[in-house]
Amino acid sequence: MRLGLVALAALFIAIVFSSTLWMRGVRVDLTSDHLYSLSPGTQQILDGLHRPVRLTLYFSRHATRDLPQLRSYEQRVRELLQEMVMRSHGRVHLSVVDPVPYSDDEDRALGAGLTAMPGGSNGERVFFGLAGRTASGVELSIPFFDPNQEAFLEYNITRLVYELDVPNKPRIGILSTLPIDGSAISGTQPWAVMRQLHQLFDVHMLDANDPSQINDKLSVLMIVHPKDLSDDELYAIDQYVMHGGHLAVFVDPDAEMDALPVGSLAGTAAGSSSNLPRLFRAWGVVYDPDRVVLDRARALTISLGDNSAPVRDFAVLGLGSRDLNHRDVITASLQNIDVSSSGYFELARNTDSRLFPLVQSSGEAMPVSADRVRDTADPTELYQDYRPTGEHYVIAARLRGQFQSAFPQRKGPGHLDRMAKPGQVILVADTDLLSDRLWVRRTPFLGEQLLSAFASNGDFVANILDNLGGSSALLSIRGRAISQRPFTRVQGLRRAADVKFHNREKALENELAATEQELAKLQPDKNAAQPDQKVKVQLEKALKRKLSIRRQLRDVQHQLDAEIDALGMRVKAVNILLMPLLVMLFGLLYGLLRQRRSGKRNAT
């Protein structure tokens, strides 16, 4: 018996040692959402790194000893970083540092731009961020890893690595018929959104009369309120997209800011519309430049400026977190976006393109004619004949597909009739959201204008360009599932048991109440004579039924725990016995196959 146990232990050690030796570097991700596998976009960026990148993960291990959720998330972050290090073939180096209070590590973490959050053990500050640098001195950081943003963990880290490798600001080309960048002739200042974009990107304002400016030197092309573009300009935009260029389009059925003069050429008609019908048709998009979305559930209160009381305007909408797509990196961290007289997008029939909403209305919305909104002086007139359709209208979206050219008849150098691989375009059906009045408040201070944002419009535009301006591989990295997954099977058992328990409990409690009433009637009065034998038998039966009902109630309550315990035993059996056996069996088979192949090579 002892010899058998010794032999079994020796066999187990030999199998483990052989599996470790033969399966060195072999990794298998068996999670349903492939949490521990890098996306193809991340792999492409790591394989194409031009220079070594050094990453330092700062995590206050001692200060988070009473924060198990944060410690669990740190393990998730560290494992992802280690996976990236393994994939990088030595170009990414990782170190993990615990910046204890008043240490040089803490000073380095603060100097790298990390944020120290309160709430640690004994009042200590908590560091949980990533600092990256290259040999040439480029430094970037992720100030703090928020567990609520786990779905975008891989995207954020990969973007940091990409920007360390390619540190130049993305070149943004903006083609606009609105005076968003101000005018030296009229003396108008750039809109606040443009001030923000100039700080973040290398911005170039394009001339609509020079299509050659739209070329592959642009990281992103942003078109605002396109009207009366020539065929040459449209063709330049078309081929820019066909060759994989990144495009963001802002159109509007009622552009209220179009009333402003542009230089000496004053103005177009107030509230004019814009569209790209030829390109939209080729991409499979339906957009009506004569329809405006009203939404009584998201209407904002505005002032008419004539000493009258403020009123709710169904065309001016404050779209909150419920209306933003928190599964897309562009809108994941935004809180609210304000729009005015916006349009909406739909997909055409029989198109292969896919439309992913970024911003949409509530179910209390309805579309109306743009002329009705444009010609209405009193917003309360929009209340008349208001009938919500129950649909959520897509105001901004990410369009994906392998688009076809809108100019198949043109044949010239470099012309493409169809994209070589799938691409994407960002569509926004409102230009007024770019204007200051919908998202910033100006306050005079010492001769300057201080800007304070009350909506996320500026961040929304910056996120669009930031997302499109990165590598095409970055665009392919979408939000991933989170590692903290609920026990859906257990939750299902609880819901089923709750329904079963409440129904059964109610029936048993009704029966118990009736039994107790019967017992009260059968109980003899103290001053009355002893009950006869028949009453005694009925009394005993009622008491037994009462005890039986109470026992059944206890059984129903315990049944849920029993089912969950049984499920737990099955899970433990699989994790403790079955999975290790399968791994060892796979290791042995892999080792034997590898040994046989090497034997054949040696024989030849």
Side-chain angles (χ1 to χ4, degrees):
M1 183 66 179
R2 292 180 178 177
L3 291 176
L5 292 175
V6 172
L8 186 61
L11 178 62
F12 177 76
I13 294 173
I15 290 174
V16 172
F17 178 78
S18 301
S19 300
T20 304
L21 181 64
W22 289 335
M23 298 185 66
R24 181 178 299 170
V26 178
R27 301 168 65 84
V28 180
D29 187 355
L30 299 178
T31 58
S32 62
D33 297 305
H34 301 288
L35 288 173
Y36 300 97
S37 299
L38 300 179
S39 65
T42 299
Q43 296 176 18
Q44 180 180 339
I45 288 175
L46 293 175
D47 292 340
L49 288 177
H50 301 91
R51 67 197 76 190
V53 173
R54 183 168 298 278
L55 301 178
T56 304
L57 176 63
Y58 290 94
F59 181 68
S60 303
R61 187 163 300 279
H62 182 269
T64 57
R65 61 183 182 272
D66 298 326
L67 302 173
Q69 182 183 5
L70 209 59
R71 294 175 72 91
S72 175
Y73 188 44
E74 184 272 338
Q75 181 180 356
R76 166 87 173 98
V77 174
R78 180 161 34 87
E79 289 173 347
L80 177 61
L81 289 169
Q82 291 170 347
E83 187 71 21
M84 296 177 71
V85 169
M86 292 182 59
R87 175 72 193 198
S88 69
H89 308 293
R91 285 186 288 268
V92 177
H93 305 273
L94 174 68
S95 57
V96 182
V97 175
D98 180 3
V100 298
Y102 311 110
S103 66
D104 292 340
D105 291 332
E106 183 183 55
D107 294 337
R108 280 190 285 268
L110 291 172
L114 269 64
T115 301
M117 304 296 289
S121 302
N122 298 327
E124 296 180 30
R125 297 186 300 176
V126 175
F127 287 89
F128 184 20
L130 184 69
R133 63 173 299 155
T134 63
S136 58
V138 179
E139 297 185 4
L140 294 172
S141 66
I142 298 176
F144 194 86
F145 285 110
D146 184 358
N148 295 324
Q149 296 293 317
E150 183 182 357
F152 304 103
L153 174 63
E154 182 182 358
Y155 175 86
N156 291 331
I157 295 177
T158 305
R159 182 167 192 87
L160 175 72
V161 173
Y162 172 77
E163 291 180 347
L164 287 169
D165 189 54
V166 185
N168 296 327
K169 290 183 178 180
R171 183 184 178 94
I172 309 297
I174 300 181
L175 180 63
S176 174
T177 60
L178 298 178
I180 60 176
D181 205 36
S183 172
I185 299 176
S186 62
T188 57
Q189 296 294 318
W191 295 3
V193 68
M194 288 302 299
R195 296 184 183 182
Q196 183 173 346
L197 297 184
H198 278 292
Q199 294 174 356
L200 299 174
F201 309 103
D202 181 15
V203 177
H204 295 262
M205 301 301 297
L206 306 182
D207 184 359
N209 297 318
D210 186 4
S212 64
Q213 293 181 333
I214 301 177
N215 50 52
D216 57 4
K217 294 181 181 179
L218 299 178
S219 300
V220 183
L221 173 60
M222 177 176 166
I223 301 178
V224 180
H225 200 43
K227 299 188 307 176
D228 302 325
L229 296 181
S230 66
D231 285 348
D232 290 341
E233 193 72 16
L234 291 173
Y235 179 69
I237 298 170
D238 172 87
Q239 288 302 296
Y240 176 78
V241 174
M242 291 302 104
H243 285 83
H246 303 139
L247 176 66
V249 178
F250 291 76
V251 291
D252 202 327
D254 180 19
E256 300 165 21
M257 301 305 294
D258 203 4
L260 295 179
V262 183
S264 60
L265 302 176
T268 56
S272 61
S273 64
S274 54
N275 193 7
L276 286 175
R278 189 166 184 172
L279 298 183
F280 285 169
R281 281 196 301 269
W283 301 339
V285 175
V286 176
Y287 165 76
D288 188 346
D290 189 45
R291 306 294 286 176
V292 170
V293 175
L294 305 183
D295 192 342
R296 66 183 180 188
R298 302 292 184 264
L300 294 177
T301 301
I302 66 170
S303 175
L304 299 179
D306 54 358
N307 296 325
S308 58
V311 297
R312 295 180 69 230
D313 191 338
F314 286 7
V316 182
L317 312 180
L319 303 168
S321 59
R322 292 174 296 178
D323 312 307
L324 308 181
N325 183 1
H326 290 282
R327 292 176 294 180
D328 194 293
V329 68
I330 290 177
T331 47
S333 60
L334 303 184
Q335 299 301 319
N336 62 309
I337 294 176
D338 294 348
V339 300
S340 181
S341 58
S342 64
Y344 63 95
F345 299 103
E346 295 178 309
L347 276 180
R349 295 181 180 180
N350 303 321
T351 181
D352 295 330
S353 301
R354 300 180 64 190
L355 196 69
F356 297 90
L358 297 175
V359 183
Q360 57 186 353
S361 70
S362 75
E364 293 289 309
M366 69 171 290
V368 298
S369 168
D371 288 335
R372 179 182 172 186
V373 177
R374 192 178 295 121
D375 299 337
T376 299
D378 184 0
T380 59
E381 296 179 11
L382 298 176
Y383 301 178
Q384 299 175 5
D385 301 323
Y386 190 87
R387 296 183 180 87
T389 62
E391 296 185 24
H392 295 267
Y393 293 92
V394 178
I395 297 172
R398 189 191 293 269
L399 180 71
R400 295 179 185 267
Q402 196 164 357
F403 308 131
Q404 294 183 349
S405 173
F407 296 85
Q409 75 283 0
R410 285 208 182 189
K411 303 297 179 183
H415 172 84
L416 290 179
D417 284 337
R418 185 179 177 88
M419 299 182 70
K421 57 182 180 180
Q424 58 186 315
V425 174
I426 301 297
L427 303 174
V428 183
D430 186 43
T431 61
D432 300 310
L433 67 84
L434 301 172
S435 63
D436 296 358
R437 68 185 182 91
L438 285 180
W439 73 282
V440 291
R441 185 177 294 107
R442 294 178 179 269
T443 305
F445 181 75
L446 297 178
E448 298 290 336
Q449 292 284 333
L450 296 182
L451 303 179
S452 57
F454 56 84
S456 305
N457 296 24
D459 292 336
F460 175 57
V461 179
N463 287 355
I464 289 175
L465 301 183
D466 187 50
N467 181 245
L468 292 178
S471 164
S472 58
L474 272 175
L475 293 175
S476 67
I477 305 175
R478 304 187 65 190
R480 305 289 295 271
I482 61 175
S483 59
Q484 301 294 333
R485 299 179 58 192
F487 292 96
T488 54
R489 182 70 181 277
V490 173
Q491 290 180 347
L493 285 175
R494 288 189 183 279
R495 287 193 295 268
D498 285 343
V499 173
K500 178 180 177 182
F501 171 74
H502 286 304
N503 293 338
R504 182 62 176 157
E505 181 186 42
K506 186 175 181 180
L508 290 174
E509 285 180 346
N510 292 338
E511 186 178 353
L512 181 61
T515 302
E516 289 178 341
Q517 289 180 1
E518 184 180 352
L519 278 172
K521 294 179 181 179
L522 293 175
Q523 288 287 353
D525 192 1
K526 294 181 180 180
N527 299 325
Q530 290 294 324
D532 56 20
Q533 187 64 28
K534 184 178 180 180
V535 174
K536 288 183 178 181
V537 172
Q538 292 177 348
L539 186 61
E540 280 185 29
K541 287 183 178 180
L543 286 172
K544 289 180 179 179
R545 189 161 64 251
K546 177 180 178 179
L547 294 175
S548 175
I549 293 171
R550 293 175 63 86
R551 185 166 55 251
Q552 291 180 57
L553 281 170
R554 289 194 299 271
D555 291 342
V556 171
Q557 289 176 331
H558 294 158
Q559 185 177 359
L560 170 63
D561 292 334
E563 291 180 359
I564 293 177
D565 289 342
L567 177 62
M569 290 299 296
R570 292 195 294 271
V571 172
K572 289 178 182 178
V574 170
N575 288 336
I576 296 175
L577 298 177
L578 182 59
M579 288 307 300
L581 289 175
L582 290 176
V583 171
M584 286 191 295
L585 180 61
F586 178 77
L588 287 175
L589 292 175
Y590 180 81
L592 291 174
L593 290 174
R594 188 172 178 178
Q595 189 176 20
R596 184 174 297 178
R597 289 175 182 172
S598 62
K600 289 182 179 179
R601 284 196 299 267
N602 294 333
T604 56

